[in-house]
Amino acid sequence: MTAAAQVHAGWKVNGILLFALLISGCAGGGPAATGPAPAAADGPPSQARPLVIYGKVEPASLALRPFRQQGAASNVPKHAFNAGLARIDTHGVPQPELLASLPTLNTESWRVFPDGTMQTTYTLRANLTWHDGRPFTGDDLVFGWRIYSAPEMGIADEQPMSAMSDVTAPDPTHFVIRWKRLYPEADALSLPSLELPPLPQHILGPAFEQLAATGGDSVANHAFWGQQYIGLGPYRLQRWEPGAFIDAVRFDGYALGVPKIPRIEMRFSADDNVVVASLLAGDAHVAADGSIGGNPETLTEQWSRTNAGTIFQRPSSLRALIFQLRPEFANPRALLDFRVRKAIAYALDKQTISDGAYGGRGIFADTPVFAGSAWGDALDDSITTYPLDLRAAETLMNQAGFIKGSDGVYGGADGRLTFELTTDEGQDQVRELLIMADRLRAGSFEIQQRVLASATTRDPQVKDTVPALLINTSNMGQNALVSLSSSQIPTPNNRWQGGNRGAWSSADYDRVLGAFNTTLDHGERVAQVRQMLRIFSEDLPWVTLFFRADSIGYAVGVTGLTKAAPESNIAWNINEWEFK
């Protein structure tokens, strides 16, 4: 077993109770999106009755790693239209997809040199093609690396590009990566946000040459990323009506064989009542990507009586309170004092938030690492936690120079402290905001509330520059640890991309993360995760609130969906789903 496979094989679910967001009622979403009328099921793929899949957020791009803001929870489209070198299975273990096999450590396919560099050699499956029928070869991986590692694209400092020194293709079915340092995920390159996706040179080549010659946004703004997307996944784009639906047909040339369902249609709605109504009416068949996150109760009750479908939950993301740590944006500047951040953490009443926003079933998160994940063994008592303790909060505020005034609100030499608490638009988020603001006020903090309109959050800079406190849905586990590095701070130079929204920077954390990224032994990496969590919990750039569970619903007649590990996604095997 390779080093990365050993990491993923360590994931187990040990009876962890996953929660569902059990709040019903109307949200601010628009009317149900509808696609073209389905045709007879016995026709060709373009006319067959589609499997209708709902998601909460329509993606801005179908690519695995786009240069435009993707939006949240668009995993099903990504897996449907894309293929990677490997895919993460239901147990969290990487399995070859475009590759014939994964490189094996200490063989000719994965060589480690005395100077700490490496070389990995990959063999592609035979006769692979893009959705447009053009051959897919190792040159497309080389081209993908050239684009993603180009400084002009703004992500050259991210993994895995930053660890690579060169990518070559000695022949059409092989490519070779030379590594600057040890890189434990070198075999699969398939963890979300750590991929090296192939890109079609025959489509993007001219735009890249223009970028090299004149600069500008010729690549990032290319129509390829949107309605002219060409990929390698089990389904190819047939029609995309923005704001309505994405229609796709199976790709017979997919690396792992012809998908079993001829046609799928993807719809998107932020109103879970719309999604539930469509499922109950038989107009839709699968709800994923958070589309029934706030309203599984009605569907569960109805389907339990009629046996018309199944619902299950899986951990999918982290809900966190992120502090603004950029001096030029932080207001009040008291946020730059870790004692104030800790005081706010002690004043958060997670139980009350869980009761009011999550029906009492919130999975409390003391760190970004879920106990049932590959890195759950890193959790122990050496990591500082912040249970509700208003006395501890007051002690810390006093130490930082702030005391309660006659009105019972903290203030200092410059007067009363006021913190703006910001969240996304949406029923669940707003209810969470209201309860959290109320509890912080009960802890003597003056809070102003702000809700970001959905249209504005397409621009990542909007969230990156909030002045004080941002309630945000973030990655969990290893991806969260990577996103906390200094290199992941969004800036104008990297197009405001990166997961470190609060702009936290810790030399100690970066050093340990760097070691983690160059260590091949799993046990050593667990110890490094523990060390990172200690640094994180002491400086506290985020208050981790809850692990969110994605409620998945699918109707009778749909088979093949599995309870995928947190490192995976339910659509990892969408080519194997069946629909009768």
Side-chain angles (χ1 to χ4, degrees):
M1 184 179 289
T2 67
Q6 290 171 352
V7 169
H8 294 294
W11 188 91
K12 295 180 185 292
V13 175
N14 297 315
I16 303 296
L17 292 176
L18 305 181
F19 73 97
L21 306 180
L22 302 177
I23 301 169
S24 60
C26 294
T34 57
D42 57 354
S46 62
Q47 298 177 357
R49 179 188 180 212
L51 174 74
V52 177
I53 307 171
Y54 259 107
K56 186 173 184 177
V57 178
E58 182 175 6
S61 173
L62 300 179
L64 278 176
R65 200 161 188 164
F67 293 101
R68 289 186 288 167
Q69 179 74 357
Q70 173 106 5
S74 301
N75 293 301
V76 172
K78 289 169 66 174
H79 283 271
F81 293 104
N82 294 276
L85 301 183
R87 59 183 189 175
I88 306 299
D89 70 13
T90 189
H91 303 294
V93 179
Q95 303 292 346
E97 192 171 14
L98 295 174
L99 296 178
S101 61
L102 301 183
T104 302
L105 187 61
N106 297 324
T107 69
E108 283 299 308
S109 63
W110 188 345
R111 301 169 62 192
V112 178
F113 302 115
D115 62 356
T117 62
M118 302 193 315
Q119 178 175 295
T120 44
T121 301
Y122 307 82
T123 302
L124 296 172
R125 296 180 189 271
N127 303 317
L128 297 175
T129 66
W130 292 95
H131 287 164
D132 60 2
R134 293 289 292 270
F136 168 70
T137 70
D139 286 335
D140 291 305
L141 271 304
V142 175
F143 179 69
W145 171 71
R146 289 179 62 204
I147 284 189
Y148 286 112
S149 62
E152 299 91 337
M153 303 313 300
I155 62 172
D157 291 336
E158 295 183 11
Q159 298 186 65
M161 289 75 66
S162 62
M164 298 176 178
S165 60
D166 191 31
V167 182
T168 58
D171 59 63
T173 60
H174 293 84
F175 70 100
V176 178
I177 299 178
R178 288 291 305 228
W179 299 86
K180 302 174 186 177
R181 54 178 173 79
L182 303 181
Y183 190 77
E185 277 84 27
D187 58 346
L189 292 172
S190 57
L191 285 172
S193 79
L194 299 177
E195 307 108 333
L196 178 65
L199 291 175
Q201 186 171 3
H202 65 283
I203 293 175
L204 290 175
F208 187 62
E209 296 305 321
Q210 179 183 346
L211 173 70
T214 64
D217 294 327
S218 56
V219 174
N221 292 332
H222 197 283
F224 160 81
W225 303 102
Q227 296 180 54
Q228 296 182 23
Y229 187 70
I230 296 294
L232 295 158
Y235 289 90
R236 61 179 176 84
L237 179 62
Q238 185 177 47
R239 183 182 176 193
W240 187 349
E241 291 290 338
F245 64 90
I246 297 176
D247 197 13
V249 295
R250 68 185 177 197
F251 177 46
D252 291 354
Y254 174 55
L256 299 180
V258 179
K260 295 181 179 180
I261 300 175
R263 179 180 164 208
I264 60 175
E265 180 183 305
M266 300 180 190
R267 304 178 188 173
F268 308 93
S269 177
D271 187 342
D272 48 40
N273 294 290
V274 168
V275 180
V276 169
S278 297
L279 289 166
L280 292 175
D283 185 47
H285 314 103
V286 178
D289 287 347
S291 58
I292 56 170
N295 192 20
E297 204 168 42
T298 300
L299 192 61
T300 301
E301 180 182 350
Q302 294 283 338
W303 276 357
S304 64
R305 292 202 307 261
T306 62
N307 294 319
T310 301
I311 294 180
F312 64 86
Q313 287 82 38
R314 59 176 295 274
S316 58
S317 59
L318 175 71
R319 199 71 174 153
L321 183 67
I322 298 176
F323 297 108
Q324 178 60 265
L325 300 180
R326 296 174 177 84
E328 66 271 28
F329 295 125
N331 183 20
R333 291 180 63 84
L335 287 169
L336 304 179
D337 189 324
F338 71 91
R339 293 169 297 187
V340 173
R341 300 195 294 271
K342 289 183 176 184
I344 291 173
Y346 275 124
L348 282 172
D349 186 349
K350 292 184 182 179
Q351 187 61 60
T352 299
I353 297 170
S354 173
D355 291 342
Y358 304 124
R361 299 190 182 185
I363 304 174
F364 293 178
D366 290 321
T367 77
V369 172
F370 178 59
S373 73
W375 305 108
D377 290 345
L379 302 175
D380 66 15
D381 293 340
S382 68
I383 300 165
T384 305
T385 59
Y386 297 89
L388 177 63
D389 189 338
L390 295 182
R391 182 172 296 179
E394 183 170 7
T395 297
L396 285 163
M397 290 298 289
N398 294 163
Q399 290 174 357
F402 302 100
I403 60 173
K404 294 179 186 177
S406 59
D407 56 2
V409 176
Y410 288 117
D414 296 329
R416 180 180 180 137
L417 286 178
T418 301
F419 300 88
E420 184 178 271
L421 183 63
T422 304
T423 194
D424 293 305
E425 187 177 36
Q427 173 183 308
D428 301 332
Q429 294 92 320
V430 170
R431 182 168 300 186
E432 181 184 48
L433 170 79
L434 294 174
I435 298 170
M436 189 180 300
D438 179 72
R439 292 298 83 204
L440 286 172
R441 292 186 186 112
S444 299
F445 292 92
E446 175 65 22
I447 300 295
Q448 293 181 347
Q449 298 158 191
R450 180 187 178 196
V451 177
L452 298 173
S454 298
T456 66
T457 57
R458 290 280 186 175
D459 180 359
Q461 184 179 352
V462 171
K463 286 189 174 183
D464 295 333
T465 57
V466 298
L469 313 175
L470 173 67
I471 313 172
N472 193 58
T473 298
S474 304
N475 287 326
M476 56 187 286
Q478 183 173 347
N479 287 330
L481 298 176
V482 171
S483 71
L484 285 161
S485 69
S486 299
S487 66
Q488 284 284 301
I489 295 175
T491 67
N493 292 336
N494 64 16
R495 303 169 184 268
W496 297 97
Q497 300 297 311
N500 192 346
R501 287 202 182 276
W504 179 55
S505 182
S506 165
D508 288 341
Y509 185 92
D510 290 343
R511 174 181 53 78
V512 180
L513 178 62
F516 172 81
N517 289 333
T518 59
T519 298
L520 303 184
D521 180 78
H522 178 63
E524 291 181 34
R525 300 188 86 204
V526 169
Q528 290 160 345
V529 169
R530 184 178 298 117
Q531 192 173 356
M532 282 187 279
L533 293 178
R534 289 171 182 163
I535 297 169
F536 168 88
S537 65
E538 280 301 312
D539 207 30
L540 207 65
W542 300 357
V543 180
T544 52
L545 301 169
F546 304 100
F547 293 109
R548 299 192 67 172
D550 197 0
S551 296
I552 312 297
Y554 60 96
V556 167
V558 181
T559 58
L561 281 74
T562 59
K563 294 183 179 181
E567 290 83 2
S568 183
N569 178 262
I570 63 148
W572 74 275
N573 66 335
I574 193 171
N575 62 303
E576 298 172 4
W577 293 6
E578 295 186 67
F579 177 43
K580 298 180 181 178

